Amino acid sequence: MTKKFNPYIWFLFICLSILGICLFIIPVGTPDGLKVPVAIFANGLSAKVVSFIHWFAYVVFIIAAVGSIVMHFVPQSGKVTIFDALFRTRLFWTIMRVLAVIFATLYLFQTGPEAFTSENTAGLLLNPDGGLVTMMFSLFLFAGLLLPLLTDFGLLEFFGSMMVKIMRPIFKIPGRAAIDCLASWVGDGTIGVLLTNRQYEEGNYTAREAAAIATTFSVVSITFCFVIVETAGLSQYFLQFYGTVILVGLILAVIMPRIYPLRNKPDTYFDGSSPEAHREDIPKGFNVFSFGLQNALEKAESNKNLLKVIGSGFKNVLEMWFAITPVIMSFGTIALILAEYTSFFKVLGMPFEPILQLFQIPFADDAAQTMIIGFADMLLPSILGAGIESELTRFFIATVSVTQLIYMSEVGGLILGTKLPLKLWDLFVIFLIRTIISIPIVALIAHLIF
């Protein structure tokens, strides 16, 4: 290294990065299965606040909606304030916040049509005992405060130079994304999305790279995969199921960044600037290890003021609460109503019937109805397919539902609520392409197993 760093900087890099790995990447055993500590903390807090968390969420939705409406009438000054960050949105997102208030009001006060008061629609999101949105408030609190352990003290910079020779040619993403991807696969997809969004806003990923990472590696946790397999009645085939998910996921990770719509995303940073052509080259006098270490310590040195880092963490928490949770509530409720009370997704799934017949999937007509409904929620396909007699078909449905990756009740809604350069149409097209590519691979493996 050409620069000397004092012991405090080394402490920040080594100790805080290791702490980040322990909290976000290394799972530990719990009575409910393997979970990363951050998820355990979130679950523990959720259990403590179960009596009022849904009302807290309701108040947040109201403040977010009213604040956004007011900011449409307040001219923007030169300096961006915390109020601008939380409430200054485009009209479309203001409407989504208002819809979140409406949907939450109908559910919490149990008034209006059943579609809005059902436990299978808004209740799946806002139920205080395990609702996705209410759970997000706890997760966002810990993620917002603790994500800097992964992002601000050099861990990504250290591994970035060493992993670039693998990640860039194979997956078309930076070497530093290796930690991001690992946090998603081992930890939870929502953590991966939040980490990707933070890196994108800080100028470490281009729009194309951020979109590819968020829609390729944000896989559900191992614990939720257990839930899917149990719902499908295939607990004894979990290893075969998860092995297939990993194999298909890696194949899709190679293909998706090279085709529409991810390939068409601009290769520019959040501020509109273009990346340097040789930004990942190793300078003369360095090797991959020494260059990674130099970058890591420089990053840790730039964040040596821990109070400033903590303050930024609290700001991240507020942005997640006010910007992201209302979007998950509005989009998730709409998607779940379409799935539960209309034939919308069943009609969209009809073209898949001849395809599944071609691959000799038993009960192809029943299985076809589950191919698109997973866009609303990942668990719905396994619930609808649980009564199908064929184990092969249930295995096929459960596996495809996970490899589809995008679902509006959680990851999809979360992505739309962030600054990531992805629209609803992009997500649906990505979901559809992942489904089409997954079908023949999963069908082949299912026939080999059964």
Side-chain angles (χ1 to χ4, degrees):
M1 287 189 298
T2 59
K3 184 178 179 180
K4 300 295 183 181
F5 297 90
N6 64 51
Y8 176 63
I9 303 303
W10 282 90
F11 165 79
L12 292 179
F13 164 56
I14 295 174
C15 296
L16 296 190
S17 294
I18 290 174
L19 181 59
I21 292 173
C22 292
L23 291 175
F24 284 94
I25 295 178
I26 299 178
V28 296
T30 72
D32 298 321
L34 291 175
K35 290 185 178 181
V36 292
V38 165
I40 297 173
F41 297 158
N43 289 338
L45 179 60
S46 295
K48 298 292 185 183
V49 299
V50 68
S51 62
F52 64 85
I53 186 61
H54 49 310
W55 295 110
F56 177 78
Y58 185 48
V59 171
V60 169
F61 295 162
I62 293 174
I63 295 174
V66 172
S68 296
I69 293 172
V70 170
M71 291 301 280
H72 279 284
F73 300 96
V74 177
Q76 186 170 4
S77 59
K79 184 180 179 181
V80 177
T81 67
I82 182 66
F83 296 102
D84 289 313
L86 296 180
F87 303 118
R88 193 173 295 280
T89 63
R90 294 180 181 177
L91 179 61
F92 176 79
W93 298 113
T94 299
I95 293 172
M96 289 299 104
R97 293 183 178 194
V98 172
L99 284 178
V101 174
I102 294 173
F103 295 155
T105 300
L106 295 175
Y107 171 72
L108 291 174
F109 293 96
Q110 287 294 291
T111 182
E114 181 188 353
F116 295 95
T117 61
S118 170
E119 291 297 329
N120 294 323
T121 54
L124 189 64
L125 300 168
L126 203 56
N127 188 310
D129 188 16
L132 291 172
V133 170
T134 48
M135 175 62 187
M136 286 295 149
F137 276 91
S138 299
L139 181 62
F140 288 169
L141 174 63
F142 289 106
L145 293 175
L146 298 176
L147 266 180
L149 295 172
L150 288 182
T151 62
D152 288 8
F153 299 104
L155 181 66
L156 300 181
E157 284 73 14
F158 179 66
F159 282 99
S161 63
M162 290 187 282
M163 296 300 295
V164 67
K165 297 294 185 182
I166 297 174
M167 305 301 286
R168 178 64 69 184
I170 297 177
F171 303 118
K172 297 289 185 182
I173 56 178
R176 64 187 298 120
I179 297 297
D180 194 334
C181 298
L182 191 59
S184 297
W185 274 80
V186 179
D188 188 84
T190 54
I191 293 173
V193 171
L194 296 175
L195 180 54
T196 302
N197 180 63
R198 183 183 177 95
Q199 291 292 290
Y200 175 56
E201 290 189 59
E202 292 180 352
N204 293 312
Y205 296 152
T206 66
R208 185 185 303 166
E209 292 164 351
I213 296 166
T215 59
T216 301
F217 291 97
S218 300
V219 183
V220 295
S221 65
I222 295 176
T223 302
F224 193 71
C225 284
F226 274 115
V227 174
I228 290 175
V229 169
E230 288 174 1
T231 303
L234 297 168
S235 300
Q236 68 273 29
Y237 293 103
F238 178 78
L239 291 180
Q240 295 90 325
F241 161 80
Y242 200 67
T244 306
V245 167
I246 292 174
L247 174 62
V248 177
L250 290 174
I251 293 172
L252 288 167
V254 174
I255 296 173
M256 296 303 295
R258 292 171 166 82
I259 61 177
Y260 175 86
L262 295 178
R263 184 185 63 183
N264 292 22
K265 294 297 175 183
D267 196 26
T268 54
Y269 290 116
F270 186 67
D271 61 3
S273 62
S274 298
E276 297 178 4
H278 304 288
R279 66 188 187 280
E280 293 179 323
D281 289 352
I282 306 298
K284 188 176 180 180
F286 287 90
N287 55 41
V288 291
F289 179 83
S290 63
F291 185 56
L293 187 59
Q294 172 92 7
N295 289 337
L297 292 168
E298 287 177 352
K299 180 69 173 180
E301 187 175 47
S302 68
N303 290 294
K304 60 184 177 182
N305 186 340
L306 293 182
L307 289 178
K308 185 178 178 181
V309 173
I310 294 171
S312 176
F314 276 109
K315 180 175 177 288
N316 289 336
V317 172
L318 291 177
E319 289 181 356
M320 291 175 191
W321 280 354
F322 286 97
I324 297 176
T325 55
V327 174
I328 298 175
M329 184 69 201
S330 55
F331 273 105
T333 302
I334 293 170
L336 290 168
I337 288 174
L338 290 175
E340 290 284 336
Y341 290 91
T342 75
S343 58
F344 179 75
F345 288 113
K346 290 182 180 179
V347 172
L348 291 180
M350 288 174 63
F352 285 92
E353 184 174 342
I355 299 175
L356 300 190
Q357 289 175 340
L358 177 65
F359 290 105
Q360 299 180 6
I361 301 297
F363 304 96
D365 53 340
D366 294 327
Q369 297 180 16
T370 70
M371 290 296 98
I372 299 295
I373 202 169
F375 189 65
D377 183 80
M378 188 176 289
L379 192 57
L380 289 177
S382 293
I383 292 174
L384 294 177
I388 297 175
E389 294 181 9
S390 170
E391 288 187 336
L392 185 154
T393 304
R394 298 202 305 274
F395 179 91
F396 174 82
I397 291 171
T399 307
V400 170
S401 73
V402 176
T403 60
Q404 289 170 327
L405 195 143
I406 306 295
Y407 58 111
M408 295 309 301
S409 64
E410 189 176 85
V411 169
L414 177 59
I415 289 173
L416 293 177
T418 65
K419 300 293 179 61
L420 292 169
L422 291 159
K423 297 181 174 62
L424 179 61
W425 173 250
D426 293 323
L427 296 182
F428 184 70
V429 172
I430 291 168
F431 171 89
L432 199 59
I433 294 173
R434 291 182 68 91
T435 303
I436 293 170
I437 296 175
S438 296
I439 285 174
I441 305 173
V442 177
L444 174 62
I445 295 174
H447 282 295
L448 291 175
I449 296 173
F450 297 95

